[in-house]
Amino acid sequence: METRTLEWDTPMYRLAVAQLDQTAQLMGLQENLWHRLRTPQRAHVVSFPFRRDSYDVVQTVFGYRVQHLTTMGPTKGGIRYDLGVDLGEVTALAMWMSWKCAIMGLPFGGAKGGLRIDPRQFSPAELQRITRRYTSEIIDVIGPDRDIPAPDLGTDEQIMAWIMDTYSQTKGYAVPGVVTGKPLEIGGSLGRKEATGRGVVTCMVEACRDLGLPVEGARVVVQGFGNVGSVSARLAHAAGARVVAVSDVASGIHDPAGLDLPAVDRWVAEHRTVQGFPGAEGVSNADLLTLPCDVLIPAAIQGQIDGDNAAKLRCKLIIEGANGPTDLDADRILAERGILVVPDILANAGGVTVSYFEWVQSLQHFFWSEDEVNARLVQLMTRAFTDVLATARQRGVDLRTAAMIRGVSRIAEAKRRRGIFP
Ligand code: NAD
């Protein structure tokens, strides 16, 4: 397949396309659909001047919002604040969102956005101003029927509240449905903050059942202790597993007897890092991945498990909380070694699933109880896991390929049904 995709060409985009190509070939996907799915339908690139708190300092900031596919309904996807953000990264993440929504049966196409900044270098006032300016730059392409942002790496419910407020100020009335992952007081959903981690742990429990691996006492290692990582660790612990190591951008901590997670939470609340937590050994992020354990949950950033370290991992099961943590070489090595990988597009789909619940609640102004949200999430995740596993068995492929086949088939069928305009 020959396509000039220079605009998006980065390692992460190449990974997303290589995964699609592999799946499309296996499925015998019609060439024109295959071609279309390799690139986003719309890609918005913005740059704007940003005044720091120190009045005379003005910086140029780059931002993106990419909508991969508008066939399935409005587009949906997170907003990332990170120095690594570029058009290729955001496009890859938007593609993964398309497959994820289709696997879960949600009425959305994939999108993603971001600013190329390090949010830790910004004051709260600066974060608010930059978020409002970015929102105003993309205001024409977002909206509850158009494209609905959510939190991702480096963003949180406060950032979503500022996006919602900026959009609503422009419209002249409150529009809670324009974002998800927002605070409860302005129309957020109970259970949204924990949703991605809850989905990760639901997949962990299901995969353990399939492998005949008892969850009780299973040794779990989690890379990343942000929204996804910390909730996954807490819920894995609540399910009976023993969390032996966690990390953040600074480094990790390891206790083979099991970490006292409430104490780690208190330490992080005070010190803003897991580093230095008393009573545990320090471990680098690279070494953390190769610790002996039953379940490894990468829940930080992409590009962590590759051809160099895949042979050294000492886990039985990988549940991908982060997007794009494993490359194709690693997938092959892990399959050969009999390590089961539950792919990102299934394992971390709990976030967008409860975002869907939040969007529905925002549109209807009718709110669900936390038990209702959690029960529906677990039901949908369990069903998706079972379906993907069945496809994997039927076609003799790994779970990533099976999940991709399910996602891409649904989108291809929708595209065939809608036809081509004009
Ligand atoms: P977050 O900003 O809340 O947390 C990220 C964590 O990773 C932090 O502990 C941070 O210190 C750590 N980290 C950052 N850079 C790192 C590095 N280079 N090495 C090791 N650790 C590093 O972000 P999050 O929302 O938890 O997202 C984490 C991952 O999960 C991302 O890949 C994101 O795309 C994915 N994801 C998030 C959601 C969601 O609902 N938030 C949903 C689906 C997928």
Side-chain angles (χ1 to χ4, degrees), residues 12 80-82 93 97 100 112 120 150-156 192-193 195-197 223-230 247-251 272 274 285 298-302 304 320-325 344 347-352 355:
M12 215 159 142
R80 176 174 277 210
Y81 287 179
D82 186 74
L93 289 161
M97 282 303 294
K100 209 178 291 188
K112 209 79 180 193
R120 285 165 303 178
D152 191 69
L153 197 68
T155 60
D156 58 14
R192 171 59 185 92
K193 217 188 300 180
T196 309
Q223 185 190 47
F225 205 65
N227 174 298
V228 181
S230 68
S247 71
D248 58 27
V249 66
S251 72
R272 298 182 67 189
V274 299
N285 263 299
I301 53 160
Q302 63 273 9
Q304 297 301 295
E320 295 184 338
N323 283 308
D344 46 9
N348 70 30
V352 69
S355 273

Side-chain angles (χ1 to χ4, degrees), residues 109-127:
K112 209 79 180 193
L115 287 181
R116 192 185 308 145
I117 58 166
D118 179 357
R120 285 165 303 178
Q121 306 301 323
F122 285 66
S123 71
E126 288 175 325
L127 275 179

